[in-house]
Amino acid sequence: MKLGIDIGSTTVKLVLMDRNDKIVFSRYERHMSNVFDKVSELMLQLYDTYKDIQTTVSITGSGGLSLSTVLGIPFEQEVIACSTAVESLIPDTEVAIELGGEDAKITFYGPTIEQRMNGTCAGGTGAFIDQMAVLLNTDAQGLNEAAKSYSMLYPIAARCGVFAKTDIQPLINEGAKIDDLAASIFQAVVNQTISGLACGRTIRGNVAFLGGPLSFLSELRKRFVETLDLKPEQVIFPEGSQYYVAIGAAMLSDKHAAVSMESILAKIEKADLNLLSETKHMEPLFKDFNDFQIFKNRHDKDRIKRRDIKRAKGKVFLGIDAGSTTTKAALIDDEKYLLYSFYKNNEGKPLEATMVMLRELYSQLPDTAFIANVTVTGYGEGLIKAAFNVDMGEIETMAHYKAAEEFLPGVDFILDIGGQDMKCMKIRDGAIYNIMLNEACSSGCGSFIETYSKSVNMSVEAFAKEGLFAEQPVDLGTRCTVFMNSKVKQAQKEGAAIGDISAGLSHSVIKNALYKVIKLRDTDDAGNRIVVQGGTFLNDSILRSIERIIDRHVVRPDIAGIMGAYGSAIIARENYVEGTESGIIKLSEMECFTVNNTHTRCKGCQNNCLLTINKFNDGGKFVTGNRCEKGAGLEKKGELLPNLFDYKYKRLFSYEPLEEAYALRGTVGIPRVLNMHENYPFWFTFFTKLGFRVVLSPSSSKEIYEMGMETISSDTACYPAKLVHGHIKWLINNGIKWIFYPCLNHEMIEDTTAENHYNCPIVATYPEVIANNMDDALAENDVLFSHPFLPYDDDVRLARQLYEMMRPLHIGFNEVSKAVKAGRNEDKRFKDDVKKNGAYAIKYIKDNNKKAVILAGRPYHLDPEINHGIDQLINSFGMAVLTEDSVAHFTMLTRPIRVLDQWMYHNRLYRAAEIAGRNTDIELVQLNSFGCGLDAVTTDQVEEILKNKNKMYTLSSYPCP
């Protein structure tokens, strides 16, 4: 007999095989981090059936090494174990995709075995699926059943198990069907696995699906099969696929001596469990009860003024905060006394939660008072405003700032931690000048504590109290919440009390929030007048943790959980028009309230936005998913404000290629990516002058991204770079046999006082990445991919090198030189047009007393898929939009500046910041793509230039999908 034990991150798999490698006994059970007890339990079950056998045995799996050492049982590396089973049982496999509880693997089989595995993030694993299932009030199997009836897929991020809720929760709030959400969650897992693990190696041929999630979730397998475009004969789904690592361990155990079942059980009984201990501990949150009482008395002073709602008279003002997971409300009178408050988990149904609140409020509000004005904020602002005829909407940051200022005048630092998001606001001179939001990770948010407290059948309040006087808080570090969950279970298994875990989690939430998510460099950056808010800070253990970590006192209002609603009520009061009454839905009208949801695609432009349409019983409707007025069924009203983003994008790609009949030298394809947003006029004119038809790939989209994601070699590359793969794939799929995408180390010199004029390394050399990671697709379709390194800043040398490239086509040097000259002339004409329109826009705002915003980024931030329509948003606020290159020529920098100014695109940013600093009617918003290393430098420099001119700095950072 041969015994294999696979101890994974969440489950134990045990397999007993006979001499013919037939499975005679198998078990698959979750261990809940109590590995030793679960292994003991399963071994006893095995012993009850096979008492007298002799068997070889091996342990494998991510959680098996320490147990192997303690028990003295041979350990086999899981890659080798799985490969042994695959090569023996399904030898035709070319790629194996294996998903586990907290890990994901792709193994490529060939002359050498190559495996890719997730590292610090457990997004896209079984635990991620479990978390999403809880959010939808079901389990993994429930998701699978729902996904069978889906009709459309929504884009959902799978990079972080908590952060994905940011995508899902608004969809729930907007009425998306559970069927569609379930399938979209599975698609997110597929996208994360392929783009995050394949790392540029194409998944092709016969693909085996292994591991628990892929064994039990048929719709997840289906999403993989459709995405990878696998034919039925290429899909390998073997019987017992969840056991393959254990099977491999059993096969590998054959090289060891056989032992009796009694001897294995004896080792388990005599095992020293202290050798398995991995938990570290910290100092208690409070020295004693007196220390806690001092802390409590200090914070009890931060209380809001209250009055009994039954005695309310005259005008009252309502604020509603429709958050991601909760609905909050605050009612104040004309003297800002709190009359009524409401806090409820919306369970994905914000309309119903708001209805409950309004019914409760109307039942308590006396006839002597009337609701004069209402303001709503939060995730569900638009939906609640449209559904219930709320008077005003306000952005969350302003609502929270208004509330914080009421409690601590002169506040300079606000930290708001909610269930799945967090905001950090810095205030200077009475204005918010810096807002930091969590981006690709939400490991510092409060939902993890809520989820864990539910798992131990405790309320969040009771769980928090347990941590206050814990003697040995567990040090959980700063980790992905999925991994931290395992560490919590490990500590619990080793005897840590609930209080120790509660205190440890509180400490980790704050450390994650400050250092990992918000990326606070120094606790001094937190300011001196600090307000903390959000429901998470109602937990005294978390409140104590932040004061200890930053070593200063903070103000935690007693209404920390409803500060957004309270701030909204203040805004409603400040904007009240005397003699009027709120138009919010009345109690009598609520009986007839209904809402119906439908979904469709907008056909207004190439974005084809996925729309959710909510229709109300009064004939009103609310549309989400749209990026502009067209999707909402609205027409632009009033004046057309200057928008250089829109003008430049259209001017850049409006060239009409030669008809095929006139393209005597054939066709060349150019991808609409990266620096082509700068250089396309040159290259289009160059090739057209030589008699080529230029085919440009279409505007970027999620579909374009997914088209090439399996060839993306780095998960940390910025999204604009990742999009390149999809554009190249589109050109290949559309029959283009020659693709031109050159490597350009330098751009043209624009500022002679700058140290250099480099392109960033990604822009300069990404064609090399394409050549090395898409070589199979290029070769299979007989596509010539030209990616020479060219001296773009020197036309003489450029002409010579292009002539060498064109020589096989029998194009003479003179003709190439003339084409270069024509291209350069068109390039100048294009840039002059942008500058002229920038001047016209500035004249317009001066003449019409308007404001303008410089959207300063890289040229490729023009791409609507990358900028998410921020230019249209700014226009909708009545402000003109400028680009950095439309205004940078108006000034020269005062040198020296603090950084080495050697990147041409960045030089424009600095000069644009100088322009914004010198003009009171021009502001600057810097656009940044998540993962851009160089912007770690440029953002500081742009902020410094603006700060020296007493201007606010705004950074808008765009994450990867």
Side-chain angles (χ1 to χ4, degrees):
M1 293 288 193
K2 293 176 277 190
L3 176 63
I5 305 171
D6 174 17
I7 302 172
S9 51
T10 60
T11 57
V12 172
K13 284 77 70 177
L14 186 147
V15 169
L16 182 68
M17 304 171 68
D18 62 19
R19 293 178 181 178
N20 299 317
D21 289 339
K22 179 183 177 181
I23 297 176
V24 296
F25 183 93
S26 63
R27 291 291 184 273
Y28 178 104
E29 294 189 20
R30 289 179 180 259
H31 56 60
M32 309 302 289
S33 287
N34 201 343
V35 173
F36 186 82
D37 286 352
K38 179 55 65 176
V39 171
S40 300
E41 175 190 330
L42 296 183
M43 286 300 298
L44 285 172
Q45 292 179 20
L46 175 61
Y47 181 71
D48 288 342
T49 308
Y50 296 94
K51 287 186 173 66
D52 302 322
I53 64 168
Q54 293 281 316
T55 182
T56 57
V57 59
S58 288
I59 292 178
T60 188
S62 57
L65 184 58
S66 57
L67 187 64
S68 167
T69 303
V70 169
L71 298 181
I73 293 175
F75 178 81
E76 297 292 345
Q77 212 283 331
E78 61 184 302
V79 178
I80 298 174
C82 186
S83 298
T84 299
V86 168
E87 292 171 344
S88 175
L89 302 178
I90 43 175
D92 292 336
T93 299
E94 294 171 80
V95 182
I97 298 175
E98 180 189 354
L99 296 186
E102 293 177 5
D103 44 39
K105 309 180 193 74
I106 297 181
T107 307
F108 296 92
Y109 293 92
T112 59
I113 295 175
E114 183 179 352
Q115 187 183 68
R116 315 288 173 82
M117 185 174 179
N118 63 322
T120 58
C121 178
T125 63
F128 169 83
I129 295 172
D130 288 341
Q131 284 187 354
M132 298 303 101
V134 169
L135 187 62
L136 298 181
N137 294 315
T138 185
D139 56 16
Q141 282 299 332
L143 281 184
N144 194 64
E145 288 303 310
K148 292 178 180 178
S149 304
Y150 87 97
S151 57
M152 64 172 58
L153 295 174
Y154 295 100
I156 294 174
R159 289 178 61 86
C160 174
V162 182
F163 195 70
K165 296 179 186 178
T166 306
D167 287 332
I168 295 175
Q169 193 66 53
L171 293 170
I172 296 174
N173 295 353
E174 292 156 9
K177 293 194 302 181
I178 299 299
D179 300 353
D180 296 335
L181 292 175
S184 300
I185 288 167
F186 288 154
Q187 186 63 48
V189 171
V190 172
N191 292 351
Q192 173 69 5
T193 304
I194 295 173
S195 64
L197 299 184
C199 296
R201 183 158 178 178
T202 304
I203 299 173
R204 65 177 63 211
N206 299 326
V207 180
F209 295 100
L210 309 174
L214 286 169
S215 296
F216 303 124
L217 304 175
S218 60
E219 296 306 299
L220 177 59
R221 293 197 305 272
K222 183 178 178 181
R223 300 268 29 96
F224 269 105
V225 170
E226 290 186 9
T227 302
L228 295 172
D229 194 24
L230 298 177
K231 299 174 183 177
E233 62 270 20
Q234 294 177 311
V235 178
I236 299 176
F237 178 52
E239 183 180 355
S241 62
Q242 68 270 34
Y243 295 115
Y244 259 57
V245 177
I247 291 171
M251 291 177 172
L252 290 168
S253 73
D254 207 22
K255 61 191 175 186
H256 305 295
V259 295
S260 66
M261 286 295 297
E262 289 88 346
S263 66
I264 298 175
L265 290 175
K267 289 181 178 181
I268 292 175
E269 290 175 6
K270 296 176 182 178
D272 183 0
L273 299 186
N274 292 324
L275 296 176
L276 295 174
S277 178
E278 300 174 357
T279 303
K280 298 179 181 179
H281 298 274
M282 304 180 295
E283 292 182 4
L285 293 177
F286 296 98
K287 297 176 184 176
D288 48 38
F289 183 77
N290 184 57
D291 191 22
F292 167 72
Q293 201 60 50
I294 294 172
F295 164 86
K296 188 70 174 171
N297 291 339
R298 173 163 52 82
H299 283 289
D300 283 346
K301 297 176 183 177
D302 301 316
R303 292 185 173 276
I304 194 171
K305 302 178 295 182
R306 298 174 186 265
R307 280 179 177 157
D308 188 348
I309 189 173
K310 295 179 181 178
R311 299 181 180 179
K313 294 181 180 180
K315 303 184 293 287
V316 294
F317 306 93
L318 177 62
I320 303 170
D321 183 359
S324 57
T325 58
T326 55
T327 297
K328 288 85 67 178
L331 186 75
I332 63 173
D333 62 16
D334 207 16
E335 296 178 350
K336 302 181 188 177
Y337 279 79
L338 183 67
L339 305 174
Y340 167 84
S341 63
F342 180 88
Y343 187 104
K344 185 179 187 298
N345 192 308
N346 61 36
E347 297 180 353
K349 300 176 181 179
L351 291 177
E352 286 85 341
T354 305
M355 290 273 280
V356 169
M357 179 274 294
L358 288 172
R359 290 180 189 278
E360 182 178 283
L361 174 59
Y362 279 127
S363 70
Q364 297 182 24
L365 190 67
D367 294 337
T368 54
F370 68 95
I371 300 176
N373 204 16
V374 182
T375 299
V376 61
T377 191
Y379 274 99
E381 173 197 331
L383 178 62
I384 301 300
K385 189 169 184 284
F388 300 123
N389 200 27
V390 174
D391 305 299
M392 298 174 56
E394 184 57 86
I395 60 172
E396 288 182 80
T397 49
M398 283 307 301
H400 284 284
Y401 169 53
K402 284 285 185 181
E405 182 70 20
E406 197 68 26
F407 274 87
L408 183 62
V411 59
D412 58 10
F413 188 91
I414 302 169
L415 180 61
D416 180 275
I417 301 181
Q420 64 192 43
D421 55 9
M422 65 185 70
K423 295 173 286 291
C424 171
M425 292 168 273
K426 294 183 179 180
I427 294 89
R428 186 174 66 203
D429 299 329
I432 300 172
Y433 79 93
N434 196 332
I435 302 171
M436 290 172 282
L437 309 174
N438 52 322
E439 293 172 340
C441 179
S442 290
S443 57
C445 295
S447 62
F448 181 69
I449 288 182
E450 181 182 0
T451 301
Y452 186 78
S453 63
K454 284 182 180 178
S455 73
V456 292
N457 296 316
M458 297 180 72
S459 68
V460 175
E461 295 77 13
F463 183 65
K465 287 181 181 178
E466 289 288 332
L468 293 175
F469 304 106
E471 296 180 1
Q472 292 185 304
V474 177
D475 185 358
L476 298 170
T478 55
R479 311 189 70 199
C480 167
T481 53
V482 176
F483 291 143
M484 196 185 293
N485 192 46
S486 289
K487 201 165 185 179
V488 166
K489 291 176 182 177
Q490 174 71 21
Q492 195 171 15
K493 183 201 69 172
E494 293 175 13
I498 292 293
D500 296 330
I501 293 169
S502 174
L505 282 175
S506 299
H507 200 266
S508 288
V509 161
I510 295 301
K511 290 189 75 174
N512 273 332
L514 294 178
Y515 300 122
K516 186 177 179 188
V517 180
I518 294 175
K519 298 180 175 66
L520 201 67
R521 297 172 186 172
D522 192 313
T523 54
D524 290 339
D525 294 339
N528 296 309
R529 300 181 68 79
I530 304 168
V531 172
V532 296
Q533 54 193 50
T536 302
F537 278 111
L538 293 173
N539 182 330
D540 282 338
S541 295
I542 289 180
L543 181 62
R544 176 64 168 181
S545 295
I546 191 172
E547 290 192 333
R548 289 185 59 174
I549 289 170
I550 66 175
D551 194 27
R552 70 198 71 179
H553 291 167
V554 303
V555 169
R556 190 272 314 268
D558 65 324
I559 58 166
I562 64 165
M563 289 289 274
Y566 178 59
S568 295
I570 293 173
I571 292 169
R573 176 183 174 275
E574 291 175 349
N575 289 273
Y576 173 64
V577 177
E578 196 64 41
T580 63
E581 186 174 342
S582 173
I584 193 168
I585 188 172
K586 301 297 187 289
L587 183 61
S588 59
E589 299 169 334
M590 293 171 68
E591 300 299 328
C592 304
F593 178 82
T594 59
V595 57
N596 293 308
N597 306 306
T598 56
H599 306 277
T600 187
R601 289 272 181 190
C602 175
K603 304 298 183 183
C605 68
Q606 70 272 15
N607 284 329
N608 292 323
C609 297
L610 182 59
L611 307 178
T612 299
I613 302 172
N614 300 269
K615 293 184 179 180
F616 308 112
N617 60 290
D618 62 358
K621 70 176 181 179
F622 177 67
V623 180
T624 60
N626 54 301
R627 295 182 180 179
C628 68
E629 294 89 343
K630 293 178 182 177
L634 304 173
E635 293 296 328
K636 290 187 177 181
K637 298 179 181 179
E639 60 187 327
L640 290 174
L641 293 165
N643 185 339
L644 267 292
F645 248 54
D646 183 60
Y647 167 79
K648 184 180 173 183
Y649 189 75
K650 290 176 179 175
R651 171 69 175 84
L652 187 64
F653 297 120
S654 62
Y655 296 94
E656 288 293 330
L658 293 174
E659 295 292 337
E660 289 189 40
Y662 298 104
L664 302 180
R665 285 186 166 129
T667 299
V668 59
I670 294 179
R672 190 189 303 228
V673 298
L674 296 176
N675 55 327
M676 283 301 168
H677 291 84
E678 172 83 10
N679 308 136
Y680 183 70
F682 176 91
W683 293 116
F684 174 86
T685 305
F686 171 79
F687 283 108
T688 302
K689 188 75 173 176
L690 292 177
F692 290 94
R693 172 178 169 81
V694 178
V695 174
L696 179 70
S697 60
S699 297
S700 299
S701 63
K702 281 289 188 294
E703 289 74 20
I704 288 285
Y705 165 74
E706 291 174 3
M707 198 178 290
M709 67 182 179
E710 67 176 6
T711 64
I712 296 171
S713 56
S714 172
D715 188 43
T716 59
C718 61
Y719 187 42
K722 292 180 177 180
L723 282 168
V724 178
H725 298 257
H727 282 273
I728 297 293
K729 191 68 180 295
W730 185 92
L731 291 170
I732 294 172
N733 291 348
N734 281 270
I736 304 301
K737 297 302 181 183
W738 180 27
I739 299 174
F740 178 78
Y741 180 29
C743 297
L744 307 179
N745 281 326
H746 292 89
E747 282 291 344
M748 296 295 291
I749 298 173
E750 288 189 357
D751 184 354
T752 56
T753 66
E755 282 87 353
N756 218 315
H757 51 286
Y758 288 120
N759 275 315
C760 83
I762 292 290
V763 169
T765 62
Y766 212 76
E768 285 285 299
V769 176
I770 295 298
N772 287 291
N773 286 282
M774 298 190 71
D775 50 338
D776 289 345
L778 293 165
E780 287 173 3
N781 291 276
D782 196 27
V783 175
L784 172 64
F785 181 60
S786 296
H787 59 290
F789 279 86
L790 297 175
Y792 187 73
D793 57 334
D794 185 332
D795 284 355
V796 175
R797 293 172 55 221
L798 179 62
R800 289 175 185 160
Q801 292 198 28
L802 287 172
Y803 165 66
E804 291 298 326
M805 185 185 76
M806 298 287 190
R807 182 178 284 185
L809 301 175
H810 308 292
I811 302 175
F813 178 74
N814 287 338
E815 193 175 357
V816 171
S817 296
K818 288 178 181 178
V820 168
K821 185 176 181 179
R824 190 62 67 200
N825 288 338
E826 180 56 34
D827 179 65
K828 184 178 185 304
R829 189 158 39 248
F830 161 71
K831 289 180 170 129
D832 285 348
D833 285 349
V834 172
K835 292 175 183 177
K836 287 175 186 176
N837 278 271
Y840 297 154
I842 291 176
K843 183 177 186 303
Y844 176 88
I845 66 168
K846 301 288 186 187
D847 292 346
N848 292 275
N849 195 28
K850 298 283 186 181
K851 282 188 172 289
V853 173
I854 303 171
L855 284 181
R858 310 290 194 279
Y860 46 77
H861 283 121
L862 289 174
D863 189 334
E865 173 64 18
I866 295 171
N867 66 50
H868 300 297
I870 189 173
D871 57 315
Q872 303 289 337
L873 179 65
I874 291 172
N875 263 170
S876 71
F877 292 135
M879 293 182 282
V881 175
L882 304 170
T883 59
E884 73 283 347
D885 57 341
S886 70
V887 298
H889 61 286
F890 286 128
T891 190
M892 297 297 288
L893 282 175
T894 302
R895 297 186 182 278
I897 58 175
R898 190 155 58 92
V899 303
L900 181 63
D901 188 8
Q902 60 179 345
W903 313 99
M904 200 279 280
Y905 296 160
H906 301 173
N907 175 261
R908 289 177 182 168
L909 296 181
Y910 307 147
R911 287 183 286 145
E914 190 75 20
I915 290 291
R918 294 178 183 180
N919 289 268
T920 57
D921 50 4
I922 299 177
E923 302 295 335
L924 182 139
V925 173
Q926 184 175 353
L927 305 182
N928 158 260
S929 292
F930 187 77
C932 179
L934 293 181
D935 271 350
V937 174
T938 63
T939 50
D940 287 348
Q941 182 62 70
V942 173
E943 181 178 11
E944 186 175 293
I945 292 171
L946 291 171
K947 190 175 181 180
N948 289 339
K949 298 289 192 301
N950 200 31
K951 295 293 286 283
M952 286 179 57
Y953 170 69
T954 304
L955 173 68
S956 180
S957 187
Y958 296 98
C960 297

